[in-house]
Amino acid sequence: MQDEQQKIKDLREKLHKYNYHYYVLTEHIVSDQEFDKLLKELEELEKKYPELHDPNSPTQRVGSDLSNIFNSIQHKTPMLSLSNTYDEQELLDFDRRVRDGLPENSEVEYVTELKIDGVSISLNYENYELKTAVTRGDGVSGEEITNNIRTIKNVPLSIVKEKREVLPVDSFEVRGEIFLPLEGFRELNKEREKKGEKLFANPRNSTAGSIKLIDSREVAKRPLDIFLYYLIESEEKTKSQSDNLRIISELGFKVNTNYRLCKSINEVIEYCNNWELKRDELPYEIDGVVIKVNNVKQQKILGSIAKSPRWATSFKFKAKQAKTKLHKIKWQVGRTGAVTPVAELEPVFLAGSTISRATLHNTDEIERKDIREGDYVLIEKGGDVIPKVVAVVTSEREEGIEKLVIPDACPECESVLYKPEGEVAIYCENPECPAQVKGQLQHFVSRGAMDIEGLGESLVDLFVEQNFIKTFADIYDLHERKEELIEIERLGQKSVENLLTAIEKSKEKPFDKVLFALGIRYIGAGSARKLAEHFRSVESLIEADSEQIENVPDIGPSISESVQRFFADDKNKMLIEKLKNAGLNFKLEEATDSTNILADKTFVITGTLTEYTRDEAKEKIMKNGGKVSSSISKKTDYLLAGEKAGSKLDKANKLGVKIISEIELEELLKNAETD
């Protein structure tokens, strides 16, 4: 029993990790098939041992993309995920379960739709006007990103009058998938490459990143698109999914026209097989087919389980594969010190691009698959820029090819490598390792951390190679090298002045951003915020023991151990002191008095601000007890309006909401301080 209990715990932790990477970090670190296999194994164990039930188990909820940046809104109807099928037999099993769940001899039709590889969204309309756009989130609640979705040109902000008679109701909800067409994705990456920014791995990653940008003006520059596929309305005027699609289209929404009404499961299988062969002909990425029982009454009879409907499933396409020769295995060092094997391949064309490198994940994978230099291997690409080696073609292995020797020294600095207990990765623990320094610096200056504009990947690499920067603290000494920097051909005086200004401005970042920027293993933006808010200063965090750290909500042993390991290093403590002396924030300001005048006041921010950014305005308001919302309503107390305020200004005037400028906000804050 104890072994099974540990197995369940391990599976839950692993699946939570995969969910976090997929929905929050938009990193696909495991195949859908492998994820589903582990989820099924956990479901079986939980059925066998019901006494170990946990409401927070991955089997009980949908993966979450909540990031705590935007307002959370509860879905009126949960946004469930779909169960997956991978072959004809599993589709036949799905059909059998559907028929078993309906009255005897029921006729069943299915609607098949292409499964767009994008990000799910819920659009809510009142009186035919777009009210809110909400991400799927954890399936129960999502994040409101209405302003960003308004920038997608084919999302109707208002249903034209002549189309409203199609659906005569006061309110309704449509759900769909936001995506980035392949051509738009390529152009976006070209622009990022020119600027020296990190490239997006695939269209889904770029879509997920785009819709969560703080500045809607930046979202508007991304060529996002959308297909709508599901309608929810309280008066239940629709009788079938095919009817749903027709009404959505007639209302003026963009519907993917490749759907088909199938009279039998054999027609469904035919549709799936045809599109698996034709998927590369489309100008956007699909990763399968969604199959839904057409009749709405039958859908209601079948109902749902905890995380997915019984009346729908998805058929997942096999990942695209190709055979090629593995010439050499190169070991790369990341910013956390993780040493990762990468296969250098004979170039081969696969899924729209020529592949010459593929990830090998870790040493355990190499040993399990017995991968050797000189082997012919099968590579697989499921949308990622760097594909993976899935198998060795052992029948074509030449004689004399020896097993790979796993390195015991760092390929960059020759330090002894370390493998933590219970982990598959190996690490270089030398903080001055050149490869780690570059990666850590790139993270430190990135938008989510210190946000030093102009200090991109290529410039970081150059400064490290020129020995201008060895640690984070050296960034804040660059002003002493101003004349040397101006002499660099690609820079010049204006660029250097802008860079030094951006470095100086970064000193205003709050403690949680600085803590995240340090790049401590396992600490993301969310956990950095929680630690900063709990301990209030770096000194308190350094002095905390593991029990105190793990008392912080959502902070577990991995983070606790990592924090203590980081601050136990004298070099890191010296680094903190240098950054303090440079003027960075290592403590949170004391919360303003609870009797301040912004308490229980709700603000909306619109237009272009001149005195500070929207983030800074939001932080000022929240520090003084106020709340910030993204949409105007009768409950809004103030609209902070900058230049080009637009429709929110009109709505505020109609509702009688008080409109204030940045100067008037400062007056409110001064009053809050003196009250």
Side-chain angles (χ1 to χ4, degrees):
M1 173 65 177
Q2 196 169 359
D3 289 345
E4 284 80 4
Q5 192 170 356
Q6 185 61 42
K7 180 72 172 174
I8 288 173
K9 183 183 176 184
D10 292 343
L11 283 168
R12 285 173 179 165
E13 286 180 0
K14 190 176 287 188
L15 289 166
H16 278 312
K17 175 185 173 184
Y18 292 158
N19 271 332
Y20 171 76
H21 276 272
Y22 188 78
Y23 289 102
V24 178
L25 304 182
T26 64
E27 294 174 356
H28 206 134
I29 62 171
V30 66
S31 72
D32 290 330
Q33 196 159 359
E34 178 64 17
F35 181 95
D36 288 332
K37 180 183 173 186
L38 295 173
L39 189 65
K40 196 168 185 178
E41 185 180 354
L42 179 57
E43 286 173 342
E44 294 298 326
L45 283 168
E46 288 179 346
K47 282 179 187 175
K48 191 174 178 181
Y49 301 101
E51 66 272 23
L52 299 178
H53 171 78
D54 181 355
N56 290 325
S57 169
T59 61
Q60 302 299 308
R61 59 182 297 182
V62 182
S64 173
D65 66 357
L66 296 177
S67 64
N68 297 322
I69 297 173
F70 300 92
N71 292 331
S72 178
I73 290 184
Q74 186 168 341
H75 297 298
K76 293 174 184 174
T77 304
M79 289 185 76
L80 301 176
S81 59
L82 293 174
S83 59
N84 293 326
T85 59
Y86 294 93
D87 55 39
E88 290 186 14
Q89 184 56 53
E90 290 185 351
L91 282 173
L92 292 170
D93 290 342
F94 166 71
D95 179 60
R96 175 184 51 76
R97 290 194 300 271
V98 165
R99 294 179 184 279
D100 287 347
L102 294 173
E104 197 172 346
N105 298 323
S106 296
E107 290 188 12
V108 181
E109 292 181 331
Y110 295 105
V111 170
T112 49
E113 304 165 36
L114 299 183
K115 188 174 183 296
I116 311 300
D117 196 10
V119 178
S120 298
I121 194 74
S122 162
L123 306 179
N124 297 275
Y125 287 77
E126 286 191 6
N127 297 318
Y128 302 101
E129 304 279 335
L130 177 64
K131 185 184 180 187
T132 57
V134 185
T135 65
R136 185 173 71 173
D138 61 4
V140 176
S141 299
E143 292 176 321
E144 187 201 343
I145 54 171
T146 312
N147 289 340
N148 288 350
I149 299 308
R150 288 181 195 278
T151 68
I152 302 176
K153 292 181 175 59
N154 51 26
V155 171
L157 302 183
S158 177
I159 307 300
V160 296
K161 288 182 180 178
E162 55 267 32
K163 293 180 179 291
R164 295 179 181 181
E165 62 186 27
V166 176
L167 189 67
V169 295
D170 293 333
S171 64
F172 64 91
E173 176 185 353
V174 281
R175 293 176 176 177
E177 199 83 0
I178 303 169
F179 65 97
L180 195 64
L182 290 168
E183 184 58 33
F185 168 69
R186 294 186 192 105
E187 290 301 317
L188 183 58
N189 263 350
K190 281 181 187 176
E191 287 299 314
R192 294 179 73 83
E193 191 170 19
K194 284 179 189 175
K195 295 176 183 176
E197 297 175 344
K198 184 179 178 181
L199 301 187
F200 285 120
N202 52 54
R204 185 193 177 279
N205 275 32
S206 53
T207 301
S210 297
I211 65 170
K212 295 277 188 83
L213 290 172
I214 299 297
D215 191 341
S216 295
R217 293 168 298 180
E218 291 300 314
V219 184
K221 296 175 185 177
R222 310 276 174 97
L224 296 171
D225 208 335
I226 189 170
F227 284 127
L228 284 303
Y229 53 71
Y230 191 57
L231 173 66
I232 302 173
E233 41 85 20
S234 58
E235 297 181 29
E236 299 180 1
K237 295 181 179 296
T238 58
K239 296 180 180 178
S240 66
Q241 172 61 9
S242 53
D243 202 19
N244 260 331
L245 292 168
R246 175 188 59 78
I247 291 172
I248 293 171
S249 180
E250 290 180 5
L251 283 169
F253 295 96
K254 186 175 180 180
V255 171
N256 191 304
T257 57
N258 293 305
Y259 71 88
R260 178 179 169 187
L261 180 61
C262 298
K263 301 291 185 182
S264 69
I265 195 64
N266 289 330
E267 287 186 22
V268 170
I269 291 169
E270 180 190 3
Y271 178 94
C272 293
N273 290 338
N274 283 341
W275 276 109
E276 185 159 20
L277 295 173
K278 295 195 302 180
R279 58 177 153 164
D280 289 337
E281 299 174 14
L282 295 166
Y284 46 83
E285 287 201 336
I286 62 173
D287 59 354
V289 171
V290 175
I291 302 105
K292 300 171 185 172
V293 170
N294 188 39
N295 187 293
V296 171
K297 283 186 179 178
Q298 291 180 338
Q299 291 179 6
K300 290 183 176 177
I301 292 170
L302 291 164
S304 302
I305 55 174
K307 65 185 290 290
S308 59
R310 291 190 178 93
W311 48 267
T313 192
S314 71
F315 177 80
K316 301 287 286 200
F317 294 153
K318 297 177 185 69
K320 301 164 189 177
Q321 292 186 340
K323 185 179 80 171
T324 189
K325 190 168 188 176
L326 192 162
H327 290 302
K328 188 169 181 61
I329 294 174
K330 185 177 180 181
W331 298 86
Q332 292 185 335
V333 185
R335 71 172 178 86
T336 63
V339 181
T340 308
V342 176
E344 296 187 344
L345 307 164
E346 183 73 30
V348 60
F349 190 80
L350 174 64
S353 60
T354 300
I355 307 302
S356 58
R357 290 156 62 85
T359 180
L360 295 171
H361 297 295
N362 52 60
T363 57
D364 286 13
E365 278 287 285
I366 290 175
E367 291 175 349
R368 185 174 66 81
K369 294 173 181 173
D370 190 21
I371 299 170
R372 308 182 187 187
E373 292 178 343
D375 274 336
Y376 280 92
V377 294
L378 288 178
I379 61 170
E380 188 174 278
K381 184 178 180 185
D384 291 334
V385 169
I386 300 180
K388 59 183 178 181
V389 172
V390 292
V392 175
V393 186
T394 52
S395 60
E396 296 187 32
R397 177 177 284 168
E398 298 173 9
E399 287 187 23
I401 292 180
E402 297 181 355
K403 289 190 72 131
L404 187 73
V405 177
I406 305 300
D408 54 10
C410 174
E412 293 285 340
C413 68
E414 298 185 351
S415 298
V416 175
L417 296 179
Y418 163 74
K419 186 174 183 180
E421 188 177 346
E423 291 195 31
V424 294
I426 51 176
Y427 293 90
C428 168
E429 293 201 294
N430 175 14
E432 296 179 4
C433 173
Q436 286 186 68
V437 169
K438 288 180 181 179
Q440 289 164 358
L441 287 166
Q442 287 159 15
H443 170 74
F444 185 85
V445 304
S446 66
R447 180 174 290 176
M450 301 308 292
D451 192 18
I452 302 178
E453 191 173 348
L455 193 51
E457 185 175 334
S458 56
L459 207 53
V460 165
D461 289 352
L462 176 65
F463 286 170
V464 171
E465 287 157 12
Q466 295 286 332
N467 284 322
F468 290 171
I469 299 176
K470 291 182 180 178
T471 71
F472 305 146
D474 295 334
I475 293 172
Y476 297 94
D477 293 332
L478 283 175
H479 63 279
E480 297 174 2
R481 296 179 176 269
K482 182 176 179 180
E483 297 308 317
E484 289 179 79
L485 298 179
I486 291 171
E487 293 300 314
I488 296 174
E489 185 178 340
R490 56 187 286 190
L491 290 179
Q493 183 162 341
K494 185 64 177 174
S495 296
V496 170
E497 287 175 355
N498 289 341
L499 174 61
L500 295 177
T501 299
I503 290 171
E504 190 64 25
K505 186 174 175 59
S506 75
K507 295 178 183 180
E508 300 171 10
K509 291 292 177 185
F511 175 32
D512 66 292
K513 296 287 186 185
V514 179
L515 184 59
F516 172 58
L518 293 175
I520 302 171
R521 195 183 302 169
Y522 305 128
I523 293 190
S527 50
R529 190 181 307 113
K530 288 172 182 173
L531 288 168
E533 288 173 352
H534 184 86
F535 290 102
R536 312 296 296 177
S537 71
V538 74
E539 290 83 5
S540 297
L541 182 57
I542 290 171
E543 291 170 6
D545 59 29
S546 58
E547 185 178 350
Q548 290 171 315
I549 295 172
E550 288 169 36
N551 279 337
V552 179
D554 301 321
I555 302 297
S558 296
I559 292 177
S560 170
E561 183 183 343
S562 183
V563 167
Q564 292 191 302
R565 190 179 185 87
F566 181 86
F567 288 120
D569 190 321
D570 288 337
K571 288 181 181 177
N572 290 332
K573 287 180 182 175
M574 288 173 61
L575 175 64
I576 300 298
E577 288 304 313
K578 287 180 181 178
L579 291 173
K580 277 187 194 175
N581 293 335
L584 273 66
N585 290 316
F586 279 94
K587 66 178 180 179
L588 285 185
E589 296 174 14
E590 288 302 314
T592 54
D593 196 275
S594 60
T595 61
N596 66 73
I597 64 169
L598 299 191
D600 300 322
K601 301 294 183 184
T602 300
F603 290 73
V604 172
I605 304 171
T606 189
T608 305
L609 304 180
T610 55
E611 297 300 317
Y612 28 67
T613 66
R614 285 196 182 192
D615 268 358
E616 289 166 344
K618 182 177 179 180
E619 191 175 334
K620 283 175 180 285
I621 291 166
M622 293 175 69
K623 276 185 178 179
N624 287 277
K627 299 175 183 176
V628 179
S629 175
S630 60
S631 59
I632 294 266
S633 72
K634 290 179 180 178
K635 294 181 180 179
T636 305
D637 295 292
Y638 297 100
L639 175 70
L640 173 60
E643 296 176 10
K644 300 178 183 178
S647 60
K648 284 187 178 176
L649 187 59
D650 297 334
K651 192 168 182 181
N653 280 318
K654 285 180 186 177
L655 294 173
V657 173
K658 186 172 177 59
I659 299 163
I660 62 172
S661 66
E662 293 170 80
I663 294 172
E664 289 169 309
L665 174 62
E666 286 295 336
E667 288 300 318
L668 283 176
L669 294 174
K670 284 178 185 175
N671 290 335
E673 288 168 8
T674 56
D675 270 18

